[in-house]
Amino acid sequence: MVMEWDRQKGTEGIGPALAEPRERGERWTLAICAGAILLFVGLSFAVISGLLDHRFYGGEPVAQPLVTALLINAALVIFGWRRHRAVRVEMHGRSAAEERARLLASRDPLTGFLNRRSLSEAGAALLRSATKRDQAVALLIVDLDHFKMVNDMHGHAAGDSVLRSVALEIAGAMPPAALTARFGGDAFACAFVFDARDPSVVERIANRVITALSQPMFVDDLRIHLSCSIGIARSDFDGGGIDTLLRSADIAMYSAKKSGRGDFTWFDRAMEHALIDRNDIESGLRLAIPAGQVVPYFEPQVDLATGRLCGFEVLARWTHPTQGPIPPDRFIPVAEEAGLIGDLSLSIMRQAFAAARDWDPGITLSVNISPWQLRDAWLAQKIIKTTVECGFAPNRLEIEITESALFDNLPLAQSIVGSLKNQGVRLSLDDFGTGYSSLAHLRALPFDRIKIDKSFVLSLLDNADSAAIVHAIIGLGESLNLPITAEGVETDAIAERLAALGCAKAQGWAYSRPLTVADTRRMLAARGLLHSGGSADADTTDVTNRRRAG
């Protein structure tokens, strides 16, 4: 079906602007040749008749001009015929060149698949045909997982060989009349007709592709393992236009990647709504961060042995001008994906450091660092520069990182942490015990503290397993001389149990909910933990932040 469409397109693609002039030129050439031949026949008859009459019947000799005209006419016939053949050869060569150019314009040169433009045209025809037969069209977007690593590790030549092999596997898994296209990079699209009453056919084909691409590929003695994520849209549910189907399948493919990769996902309208919401949040953040609308809140940290307030964890809070408060678990992941987390984090630090300049020097601030930020080789310099600009002592700062942040680039993380430690900044391992806990991680970086994840703390009194884990972490901290901070302390009973186990610090709603800058200042003032030197500046900063947030 694809090739038949290409052949039709090839004759249509020449168009009246090119085909008609050529046909007219060929007709004129043939007409001239025919006229010359007829003239040659007439002259030949006259000359031969004259010669016979002169030879046998004593007639007048043939006139010399007539013989000359015959010879000239013969030469013209020979010349015209040869010219006609040359023109035909030239036209054939041009047609072949145009056909090759058309194929190059409509096909991906690496895999031979259709390109996006050709798929749109062929897909529209496929949709019209399916609609007439009361059938539906399934469109699959196939995207290879982590294909960039193949190019990075083995070079682009090996990557091209892999893509050719992938194209063969995809084509082999498709029905005979399917359209297949490559969109550049490692993304492919496939479209085919199916019975709308039996969508399991589409799922079987998607599974065939996933199974085929999960097999190892051998390229230049290299054994390469791949997987793919597939998004599926269907014309009877997700829109009738090919462009709409492409967009829907693309949204579903990204949903498949977020769900763990190596699988397929049908498009659902909820995915589109989530995408719109995500884009709205990203657009809002791009305005809110420089405007100071994302502000720091402060969660108190208490010394369990003495009950003394010893520090705060800095948390980001965003009150949207029209949508109201947006939870961190909605805007922080978007900031990470959009590459805004670095600016967001430094903005929060800058505001928090400025607010804490006149606090008691013994009050520390703990700030979470995203794994994405640890990919920035200049992170340490940016943080130290911010402390200097805000007049905040680096030894009052504690940076919190999670274990998952160590997996991307441990040497870079070690370099960043080393630079921070040289300036007096302390390091805390956050959410310890949630999935990746290992003594090797505690040795990899010079941690000063371990924080127990709140999921264990909240169930400390009710769940024996949680109690055992908390007890083991506290014992580990004692062995390694690393003090422990417990998150999520919501009752006095939990706080007493943690203190009895030897936990050093705690934070949670048992002491206070996260506070604004103004409420934090009132708390500190009530406890005599404010210095008079910078209070006016800090109050001014808080008023400015509240105005921006409003």
Side-chain angles (χ1 to χ4, degrees):
M1 178 175 180
V2 177
M3 294 307 297
E4 180 61 29
W5 177 85
D6 282 341
R7 286 193 291 270
Q8 295 172 0
K9 187 68 179 176
T11 57
E12 294 171 1
I14 296 176
L18 294 177
E20 290 181 5
R22 290 180 180 177
E23 291 174 359
R24 287 198 300 269
E26 188 173 356
R27 286 197 297 268
W28 274 108
T29 302
L30 288 174
I32 292 171
C33 287
I37 292 171
L38 290 174
L39 182 60
F40 175 77
V41 171
L43 289 172
S44 299
F45 179 78
V47 170
I48 293 172
S49 298
L51 289 173
L52 292 175
D53 183 59
H54 174 71
R55 177 75 174 84
F56 296 106
Y57 302 104
E60 293 292 329
V62 178
Q64 186 65 33
L66 189 63
V67 175
T68 303
L70 176 62
L71 295 175
I72 293 174
N73 184 254
L76 287 175
V77 169
I78 295 171
F79 174 78
W81 182 253
R82 293 183 63 184
R83 179 59 182 165
H84 174 66
R85 291 190 61 188
V87 169
R88 288 189 62 85
V89 170
E90 181 182 359
M91 289 177 62
H92 178 75
R94 288 183 180 180
S95 299
E98 286 177 358
E99 178 66 12
R100 288 193 298 271
R102 188 196 60 76
L103 286 175
L104 289 174
S106 64
R107 296 273 176 176
D108 169 53
L110 181 64
T111 62
F113 280 8
L114 299 172
N115 57 25
R116 181 185 288 270
R117 179 170 173 262
S118 299
L119 177 66
S120 296
E121 295 172 351
L126 187 67
L127 283 170
R128 288 192 296 269
S129 174
T131 302
K132 291 178 181 178
R133 291 181 289 170
D134 292 329
Q135 292 180 310
V137 171
L139 197 145
L140 280 62
I141 295 290
V142 182
D143 192 87
L144 303 181
D145 299 326
H146 306 299
F147 177 73
K148 184 177 182 296
M149 294 180 62
V150 176
N151 284 332
D152 292 343
M153 294 178 62
H154 307 297
H156 288 277
D160 288 348
S161 297
V162 169
L163 290 174
R164 284 191 288 268
S165 298
V166 167
L168 290 174
E169 295 292 349
I170 291 176
M174 290 296 118
L179 302 176
T180 53
R182 179 181 173 228
F183 285 178
D186 58 349
F188 299 84
C190 312
F192 53 87
V193 176
F194 73 102
D195 187 344
R197 296 167 298 181
D198 187 16
S200 63
V201 172
V202 181
E203 296 183 353
R204 286 197 296 271
I205 292 173
N207 276 321
R208 283 209 301 264
V209 174
I210 292 171
T211 301
L213 297 187
S214 65
Q215 303 301 314
M217 295 183 182
F218 296 90
V219 177
D220 298 332
D221 298 327
L222 297 173
R223 182 184 177 96
I224 296 176
H225 292 269
L226 289 174
S227 64
C228 68
S229 301
I230 300 178
I232 310 174
R234 51 188 295 177
S235 60
D236 54 336
F237 285 1
D238 307 324
I242 188 68
D243 291 336
T244 302
L245 284 179
L246 283 169
R247 180 174 179 273
S248 299
D250 199 48
I251 292 173
M253 182 271 293
Y254 279 107
S255 177
K257 283 187 176 291
K258 289 183 179 180
S259 300
R261 304 175 187 268
D263 204 351
F264 67 84
T265 299
W266 287 91
F267 173 74
D268 185 89
R269 291 293 174 190
M271 298 177 186
E272 187 173 22
H273 298 324
L275 180 63
I276 293 172
D277 180 66
R278 183 229 176 265
N279 290 339
D280 288 343
I281 290 178
E282 179 181 340
S283 300
L285 280 175
R286 292 189 182 279
L287 298 175
I289 293 173
Q293 293 177 0
V294 186
V295 299
Y297 272 53
F298 299 87
E299 184 173 1
Q301 295 176 332
V302 174
D303 187 313
L304 285 174
T306 64
R308 180 179 63 86
L309 176 66
C310 57
F312 295 91
E313 179 175 354
V314 182
L315 306 172
R317 294 292 183 266
W318 180 22
T319 301
H320 194 278
T322 58
Q323 299 183 29
I326 297 181
D329 59 359
R330 283 185 62 197
F331 71 81
I332 293 295
V334 174
E336 291 179 331
E337 293 173 8
L340 298 173
I341 191 64
D343 292 339
L344 173 60
S345 180
L346 290 175
S347 174
I348 293 296
M349 286 188 203
R350 192 173 292 109
Q351 296 177 66
F353 296 163
R357 280 181 303 199
D358 65 332
W359 297 358
D360 185 280
I363 300 295
T364 62
L365 292 182
S366 299
V367 179
N368 286 282
I369 294 297
S370 165
W372 292 74
Q373 290 178 265
L374 286 176
R375 301 174 184 178
D376 181 3
W378 296 97
L379 177 62
Q381 287 78 357
K382 292 176 181 178
I383 293 175
I384 297 302
K385 180 183 178 183
T386 304
T387 62
V388 172
E389 291 175 345
C390 297
F392 185 80
N395 60 6
R396 295 177 59 192
L397 175 62
E398 185 174 282
I399 294 295
E400 299 183 5
I401 64 174
T402 60
E403 290 175 280
S404 60
L406 306 180
F407 287 89
D408 286 341
N409 192 334
L410 180 57
L412 179 57
Q414 290 171 325
S415 174
I416 293 171
V417 168
S419 298
L420 291 172
K421 294 281 288 185
N422 289 338
Q423 299 298 320
V425 178
R426 282 173 286 186
L427 183 66
S428 175
L429 182 58
D430 195 17
D431 297 339
F432 189 78
T434 55
Y436 299 105
S437 301
S438 168
L439 293 178
H441 297 149
L442 292 176
R443 292 194 312 238
L445 295 175
F447 290 103
D448 299 289
R449 180 176 297 277
I450 298 175
K451 295 191 74 172
I452 306 177
D453 186 72
K454 64 181 179 181
S455 61
F456 302 118
V457 176
L458 288 171
S459 57
L460 173 63
L461 303 180
D462 307 320
N463 187 292
D465 291 337
S466 295
I469 291 173
V470 170
H471 190 277
I473 294 174
I474 293 174
L476 178 64
E478 291 177 354
S479 301
L480 299 175
N481 196 28
L482 293 175
I484 305 296
T485 297
E487 300 177 302
V489 179
E490 295 190 353
T491 65
D492 292 337
I494 293 177
E496 292 172 0
R497 179 68 178 275
L498 289 169
L501 291 173
C503 185
K505 290 166 56 175
Q507 62 185 80
W509 289 4
Y511 306 103
S512 173
R513 291 175 178 266
L515 304 171
T516 64
V517 173
D519 290 338
T520 303
R521 293 188 62 79
R522 281 190 281 271
M523 171 188 282
L524 294 173
R527 302 188 183 198
L529 296 175
L530 283 182
H531 292 176
S532 59
S535 59
D537 291 339
D539 287 335
T540 301
T541 300
D542 180 55
V543 171
T544 302
N545 287 339
R546 281 184 290 170
R547 286 177 179 171
R548 287 174 174 173

